[in-house]
Amino acid sequence: MDLSVWRSRLKELPLGELFLYQEVGSTNSAAENHIKTGAPAFSLILADTQTAGRGRHGRTWETRAGKALAFSIILYPEPGLLTPETLGKLSGLGALAVAETLIEDYQLEAEIKWPNDVLVEGKKVCGVLVDVHWAGNQLKDVVLGIGINVSRGSVPEERDLHFPAACLEDLAGRDISRLELLVKVMLSLLKWYPELSSELFTTAWQERLAYKNEVVVLKTGKKIIDQGKVLGISNEGSLILHSNSGAERRYQTGEIQLRLVDRF
Ligand code: BT5
């Protein structure tokens, strides 16, 4: 990865500081260090490869050199916009920016699997990890991390996956520039961020929601906590489920994993 080429292209965007690496442990963890030294909002931390990429709840995320996008954005609280009440929408923000880019610029039928995955043809091409930091009960900062499988060879071995995965070049049937994809995702993210607390945002997220009106199972670890039909997303970013028990229930992200009922 020619970091100087990436830097000069990314400088055209209205971002904070740019921290570009050939290799880091995790861009989300590197972002935490940059927060400590005063990195401004919308600073971008990007790496060609991660040696300790993180998924949610201690899971791992693989990023192979030259094949994928792995980046994180630093955000700070903003009254009326980024508050404890809107935190539940941030994984949706990352997923929406990626899904919208794939649909509009790459003609791929991307869907968002609540809360944090982007699927194409039912396969995971992108994962989003939101790390929230508090000082007591004060929201201090947020790191929004996004990993996208771009080229052939970016997808881990099947035995290392707990959900089918694919890469964009296989799905699109053509080469894809990682840098141009990143620029488009960032532009979409910058467009949607100011809408975080608006209904427009929830509607856009919901329009691209996977498994709408299908029956899914919700699990924490191996434990099934509910089963029912997906109705949509609430204004807080919760999943609205018509539970098989007959009640309408809302679930916040937490530990929950979602699967189509015939595939778990
Ligand atoms: C996620 O977690 O999907 C969030 C992934 C976020 C990655 C980005 S990359 C930039 C930033 N820096 C980081 O350190 N992380 C973020 P989760 O839903 O928990 O899914 C993790 C699971 O996905 C793993 O347990 C594997 O089964 C699978 N997995 C790992 N690498 C994958 C890949 N490249 N493509 C598809 N699935 C993968």
Side-chain angles (χ1 to χ4, degrees), residues 26-28 50 54-56 59-60 62 124 149 160 162:
S26 149
T27 56
N28 268 38
Q50 299 186 112
R54 294 196 272 117
R56 298 180 302 149
R59 292 189 282 268
T60 54
E62 276 190 40
K124 180 164 172 170
N149 297 332
D160 296 327
H162 63 241

Side-chain angles (χ1 to χ4, degrees), residues 25-29 50 52-57 59-63 69-72 116-117 124 126-129 145-147 149 154-156 160-163 165-166:
S26 149
T27 56
N28 268 38
S29 305
Q50 299 186 112
R54 294 196 272 117
R56 298 180 302 149
H57 314 293
R59 292 189 282 268
T60 54
W61 182 261
E62 276 190 40
T63 307
L69 280 175
F71 59 98
S72 305
N116 71 319
D117 295 341
K124 180 164 172 170
C126 162
V128 179
L129 175 70
I146 300 180
N149 297 332
S154 58
V155 183
D160 296 327
L161 297 173
H162 63 241
F163 193 87

Side-chain angles (χ1 to χ4, degrees), residues 22 69 103 118 139 148 163-164 167 181 213 215 225:
Q22 296 292 358
L69 280 175
I103 293 165
V118 179
L139 177 60
I148 309 177
F163 193 87
C167 70
L181 172 63
N213 293 319
V215 177
I225 54 166

Side-chain angles (χ1 to χ4, degrees), residues 83-251:
T83 61
E85 289 71 38
T86 54
L87 283 179
K89 294 173 155 187
L90 283 175
S91 59
L93 173 69
L96 177 59
V98 174
E100 186 183 74
T101 302
L102 296 182
I103 293 165
E104 291 184 359
D105 299 303
Y106 296 88
Q107 292 72 50
L108 289 169
E109 288 185 21
E111 295 180 303
I112 302 170
K113 175 171 157 286
W114 181 88
N116 71 319
D117 295 341
V118 179
L119 310 181
V120 177
E121 295 180 12
K123 295 186 176 139
K124 180 164 172 170
V125 294
C126 162
V128 179
L129 175 70
V130 179
D131 286 327
V132 180
H133 305 113
W134 301 85
N137 58 4
Q138 287 285 99
L139 177 60
K140 217 171 112 277
D141 53 69
V142 178
V143 178
L144 173 59
I146 300 180
I148 309 177
N149 297 332
V150 182
S151 306
R152 291 173 191 104
S154 58
V155 183
E157 302 283 321
E158 219 173 296
R159 63 180 145 79
D160 296 327
L161 297 173
H162 63 241
F163 193 87
C167 70
L168 298 179
E169 287 191 345
D170 273 347
L171 292 159
R174 63 177 174 98
D175 291 348
I176 289 177
S177 152
R178 287 185 296 160
L179 178 52
E180 285 314 309
L181 172 63
L182 173 67
V183 168
K184 291 189 169 94
V185 169
M186 286 309 300
L187 288 173
S188 177
L189 204 137
L190 289 163
K191 181 189 83 179
W192 280 111
Y193 177 72
E195 303 295 337
L196 200 57
S197 46
S198 80
E199 226 169 89
L200 200 69
F201 174 84
T202 319
T203 307
W205 182 2
Q206 193 152 252
E207 266 171 17
R208 288 154 185 85
L209 190 64
Y211 310 145
K212 234 180 297 168
N213 293 319
E214 292 190 71
V215 177
V216 298
V217 60
L218 300 186
K219 303 201 294 176
T220 55
K222 288 199 169 12
K223 191 166 163 255
I224 294 175
I225 54 166
D226 208 345
Q227 199 165 313
K229 202 197 270 182
V230 172
L231 297 183
I233 300 281
S234 77
N235 263 336
E236 298 75 44
S238 301
L239 182 78
I240 310 172
L241 196 76
H242 186 265
S243 168
N244 285 354
S245 68
E248 186 179 298
R249 299 221 180 97
R250 289 172 186 225
Y251 289 96

